[in-house]
Amino acid sequence: MSIWQELEHQYFMQTFERVPLTIVRGQGARVWNEDGREYLDFVGGWAVNSLGHCHPVVTKAVTEQVQLLIQASNQFYTIPQIRLAELLVRNSCLDKVFFGNSGAEANEGAVKLARRYGQLNLNRAYEVITTSGSFHGRTLAMLAATGQAKFQEPFPPLPTGFVNVEYNNIEDIKSATTDRTCAVMVEPIQGEGGVNLPDDGYLVAIRAWCDQKGILLILDEIQTGIGRTGTLFAYEQYGVEPDIMTLAKGLGSGVPIGAILAKGRVAVFAPGEHGSTFGGNPLACAAGYATVKFIIDNDIAGKVKTVGQYLIQGLEKMKQKFQLITDVRGRGLLVAMEFDSDIAQSLVMACLDRGLLVNRLKPDALRFMPPLIIGTEEVDEALGILDSALSSAIS
Ligand SMILES: Cc1ncc(COP(=O)(O)O)c(C=O)c1O
């Protein structure tokens, strides 16, 4: 264990099961440890480094902004915040934006907004329906929203107002809907829950049900948004428009930022009903603007679609070769590989030894969520390392 890792054990709350690697520098899809060893990064800051590490447009925007204005209270107008809000609205189906600092915080705000909408328009309805296998964040309310008992069990009692139903089962959503329901909240593709894709027609059916009942559809695009799945927002691929959408992760390409977007008729917060000290600060918004503008201007989402298909095809080929691989699934550069036994951690370590960073999604599954700017050469390199790691696992 390195000196940094020893110090971490001494001083840091032991909440993370860390991989024994201390990252000191990053560039593009590569990172380096304190000894100068290079790694190909297919974790990407947990689907955050959308433009890779220290992309010149992000670095330039942040460097310029840091010399101009870092923080000003939301009591005042600041230009980067307004520019980013306009960019997001012009490139989505939503009309109004609120900025926070993280994904969980964005989701909390989205649920507050849905409750406020319910109070004003749905006879004080407040309940939000969420699905099994979902992940919406670590705050107490978002743990209640998250459909995975392992995150909830250590922290009772959890806030009320959430009903969890079976994923990919529209009938379950219908039977859980009552006059208390104000919204249904889902991820277009479940990220943390296993890179679980919605069945054909599921999201369209939820949209139709919400319309029929006059309740809101909240799409949590914290992991799927900002080009990750091959379109700027995943909803574009599923023929639905949300009433509220949340973003974070890839939005700032590494700089912390979250956002709530809503249709105009749904953006019912009155002054004072929601706020944030740091949310929408000029620094984070400058990073967000540079990221989103670059992604749009360079059709990064289109490139993600192509390189993502290339990755999936490569993994599919590997599935033909290695019987222990039971499934390959995903969209764009959000991809999972599942195994017939709990070998994910040993594969993470075998890949690390060979210079590749991958994520252990579950004991029996890996996830790949590299920077969106990777090309087929990096995919080939990653596939080669994974092949070697898998060969060592079966030998
Ligand atoms: C779909 C989804 N929602 C919410 C969150 C929580 O985001 P944060 O960790 O920024 O609070 C995550 C994080 O992984 C996520 O994947």
Side-chain angles (χ1 to χ4, degrees):
M1 202 186 285
S2 80
I3 179 71
W4 295 113
Q5 289 161 25
E6 274 172 31
L7 289 170
E8 191 268 359
H9 277 249
Q10 190 174 344
Y11 294 117
F12 203 83
M13 290 191 201
Q14 295 298 294
T15 59
F16 298 109
E17 291 174 58
R18 299 192 205 250
V19 169
L21 168 68
T22 308
I23 297 175
V24 297
R25 184 165 77 84
Q27 194 65 56
R30 314 261 163 191
V31 294
W32 287 263
N33 73 2
E34 73 268 52
D35 301 323
R37 179 163 182 209
E38 182 181 306
Y39 296 84
L40 179 59
D41 184 5
F42 267 48
V43 177
W46 213 279
V48 166
N49 297 109
S50 40
L51 297 186
H53 296 276
C54 303
H55 191 284
V57 300
V58 178
T59 306
K60 182 168 180 284
V62 169
T63 307
E64 285 174 6
Q65 190 59 48
V66 89
Q67 295 174 70
L68 203 60
L69 183 71
I70 297 175
Q71 161 76 358
S73 160
N74 277 313
Q75 195 182 346
F76 305 103
Y77 298 89
T78 51
I79 296 168
Q81 183 181 104
I82 299 161
R83 289 178 78 210
L84 179 57
E86 180 188 25
L87 187 66
L88 290 172
V89 166
R90 284 184 187 269
N91 289 282
S92 72
C93 64
L94 290 317
D95 306 309
K96 299 278 186 188
V97 181
F98 180 91
F99 292 117
N101 309 286
S102 69
E105 196 188 324
N107 281 341
E108 286 267 348
V111 167
K112 271 180 74 178
L113 185 61
R115 283 195 183 184
R116 188 72 181 114
Y117 180 90
Q119 197 176 48
L120 295 170
N121 299 292
L122 299 169
N123 200 21
R124 308 182 82 79
Y126 61 89
E127 233 166 47
V128 175
I129 298 174
T130 63
T131 62
S132 59
S134 61
F135 183 83
H136 298 295
R138 304 276 190 166
T139 59
L140 286 171
M142 286 311 108
L143 288 181
T146 288
Q148 299 189 61
K150 68 175 178 191
F151 293 114
Q152 302 177 334
E153 276 159 7
F155 304 106
L158 293 177
T160 53
F162 296 92
V163 181
N164 198 251
V165 302
E166 191 183 48
Y167 181 56
N168 267 333
N169 183 340
I170 185 63
E171 294 311 318
D172 236 23
I173 289 181
K174 290 184 179 175
S175 43
T177 305
T178 67
D179 55 9
R180 293 186 301 277
T181 310
C182 68
V184 177
M185 176 156 92
V186 289
E187 298 154 79
I189 296 169
Q190 292 186 337
E192 299 310 300
V195 187
N196 303 318
L197 300 169
D199 288 347
D200 286 348
Y202 179 58
L203 295 176
V204 170
I206 298 179
R207 177 68 275 176
W209 178 248
C210 289
D211 288 342
Q212 190 180 325
K213 290 295 175 185
I215 59 178
L216 303 178
L217 172 59
I218 305 173
L219 285 187
D220 176 345
E221 290 238 23
I222 284 160
Q223 189 152 151
T224 54
I226 316 296
R228 173 64 48 192
T229 67
T231 45
L232 191 56
F233 305 109
Y235 73 76
E236 297 168 46
Q237 296 173 51
Y238 290 101
V240 294
E241 288 191 359
D243 301 300
I244 302 175
M245 173 171 75
T246 51
L247 301 173
K249 289 197 180 285
L251 179 55
S253 205
V255 177
I257 182 168
I260 311 164
L261 281 77
K263 295 274 190 193
R265 70 180 175 84
V266 174
V268 294
F269 280 145
E273 287 179 356
H274 199 51
S276 169
T277 299
F278 293 119
N281 73 79
L283 191 62
C285 288
Y289 184 85
T291 301
V292 178
K293 186 92 173 62
F294 187 90
I295 285 177
I296 292 167
D297 290 351
N298 295 279
D299 187 27
I300 297 297
K303 291 174 182 148
V304 164
K305 193 177 250 167
T306 311
V307 79
Q309 275 162 2
Y310 186 79
L311 171 64
I312 289 178
Q313 277 162 14
L315 295 173
E316 290 282 4
K317 262 192 220 149
M318 223 174 265
K319 181 166 173 268
Q320 306 302 317
K321 178 171 169 189
F322 295 100
Q323 278 193 347
L324 73 171
I325 303 171
T326 54
D327 194 26
V328 172
R329 57 181 179 269
R331 282 262 173 128
L333 288 172
L334 181 58
V335 179
M337 178 179 249
E338 204 160 287
F339 307 97
D340 61 5
S341 62
D342 292 351
I343 57 164
Q345 185 58 28
S346 64
L347 285 173
V348 167
M349 295 307 294
C351 287
L352 182 73
D353 281 349
R354 292 163 173 76
L356 172 70
L357 309 186
V358 292
N359 170 244
R360 182 184 63 102
L361 175 61
K362 295 192 285 185
D364 62 350
L366 293 178
R367 177 172 36 175
F368 311 98
M369 40 188 172
L372 308 182
I373 42 91
I374 60 159
T376 50
E377 319 77 56
E378 279 100 351
V379 171
D380 285 339
E381 189 180 334
L383 290 171
I385 293 176
L386 190 60
D387 187 294
S388 154
L390 278 160
S391 301
S392 75
I394 55 173
S395 65

